[in-house]
């Protein structure tokens, strides 16, 4: 049986155990990379993200008048607002599919970069997180979706009988770390599961993002939420 990525209080650890036979432990073999969670723009312009990509300025010029909320407007506002060249490049890498974004904060956690990303023109969920590994690969912890593959999983189908509309609603929240074999580290992030944006949480989806001893991203997997 394939393992479900969905954990709900009604089923909790029992569902995960039925899928896996036992709960995954830190240091166990990681799952394959989730392609949807790794920025396709990684490495564009060979920019290595750091504190230099941060900008926290005024975008009012892109919200009013004849100025459309475009990449050009964001770029111009950032430049006139004192943004560094690295910050502008990072914003261009993040702004895809007609959606604008830029980095508002940066910190390092055990030799990993953690960037806070602002989506200024979204109606909801204006903030996200990217993890940045030693090679510069960026992992979007808010990109996990209950896709068709997961919906086909017998365990997920059983859960959806109780909550047919349940789906992850970003942003994910940091939920701790765990040591992995060989000096690696796992960063845990939890995303609430709801039937709609304004609905109460019906559960949590917790994903562990695994990095080796050199802090290269090696994969991700569902980790049970402990009581």
């Amino acid at each position: 049986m394939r393992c479900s990525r969905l954990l709900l209080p009604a089923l909790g650890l029992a569902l995960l155990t039925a899928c896996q036979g036992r709960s995954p432990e830190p240091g166990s073999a990681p799952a394959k990379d989730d392609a949807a969670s790794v920025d396709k723009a990684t490495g564009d312009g060979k920019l290595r993200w750091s504190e230099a990509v941060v900008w926290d300025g005024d975008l009012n010029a892109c919200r009013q008048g004849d100025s459309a909320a475009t990449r050009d407007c964001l770029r111009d506002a950032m430049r006139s607002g004192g943004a560094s060249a690295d910050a502008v490049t990072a914003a261009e890498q993040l702004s895809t599919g007609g959606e604008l974004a830029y980095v508002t904060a940066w910190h390092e956690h055990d030799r990993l970069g953690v960037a806070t990303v602002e989506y200024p023109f979204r109606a909801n969920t204006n903030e996200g997180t990217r993890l940045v590994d030693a090679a510069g690969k960026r992992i979007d912890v808010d990109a996990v979706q209950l896709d068709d593959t997961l919906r086909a999983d017998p365990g997920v189908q059983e859960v959806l009988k109780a909550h047919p509309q349940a789906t992850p609603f970003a942003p994910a929240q940091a939920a701790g770390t765990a040591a992995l074999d060989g000096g690696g580290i796992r960063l845990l992030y939890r995303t609430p599961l709801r039937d709609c944006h304004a609905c109460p949480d019906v559960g949590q989806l917790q994903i562990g993002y695994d990095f080796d001893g050199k802090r290269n991203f090696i994969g991700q997997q569902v980790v049970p939420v402990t009581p």
Side-chain angles (χ1 to χ4, degrees), residues 47-54 78 83-93:
L47 171 65
R48 293 299 297 269
W49 281 23
S50 68
E51 191 172 355
V53 304
V54 173
M78 292 181 68
S84 68
D86 284 352
V88 173
T89 299
E92 290 175 342
Q93 292 175 347

Side-chain angles (χ1 to χ4, degrees), residues 88-214:
V88 173
T89 299
E92 290 175 342
Q93 292 175 347
L94 287 166
S95 299
T96 60
E99 182 173 61
L100 304 184
Y102 59 96
V103 180
T104 59
W106 172 273
H107 73 273
E108 294 192 3
H109 181 91
D110 202 343
R111 294 184 287 135
L112 290 169
V114 182
T116 300
V117 176
E118 178 77 10
Y119 301 92
F121 300 107
R122 279 185 178 178
N124 298 294
T125 314
N126 298 100
E127 190 173 279
T129 300
R130 295 291 198 283
L131 306 179
V132 184
D133 76 356
K137 180 179 293 185
R138 304 188 299 272
I139 301 94
D140 184 353
V141 302
D142 297 308
V144 178
Q145 298 292 327
L146 191 60
D147 57 19
D148 290 341
T149 300
L150 291 181
R151 289 179 181 275
D153 182 275
V156 173
Q157 289 178 351
E158 190 67 25
V159 172
L160 293 178
K161 289 180 182 179
H163 297 279
Q165 303 302 317
T167 191
F169 275 85
Q173 298 295 323
T177 63
L180 301 179
D181 291 342
I185 189 172
R186 170 177 294 166
L187 271 57
L188 298 168
Y189 280 81
R190 294 180 187 175
T191 304
L193 297 161
R194 303 172 189 156
D195 292 331
C196 67
H197 191 275
C199 294
D201 295 353
V202 296
Q204 294 184 14
L205 175 65
Q206 180 168 257
I207 302 292
Y209 297 90
D210 295 350
F211 302 84
D212 64 19
K214 294 182 179 179

Side-chain angles (χ1 to χ4, degrees), residues 58-74:
D58 187 355
L59 282 178
N60 284 335
C62 296
R63 300 178 186 272
Q64 57 192 0
D66 296 329
S67 297
T70 64
R71 292 181 67 169
D72 287 348
C73 186
L74 174 61

Side-chain angles (χ1 to χ4, degrees), residues 18-42:
C19 273
Q20 295 182 322
R22 63 182 180 86
S23 301
E25 295 293 336
S28 59
K32 294 182 179 179
D33 291 8
D34 183 347
S37 71
V38 179
D39 281 2
K40 293 180 180 179
T42 297

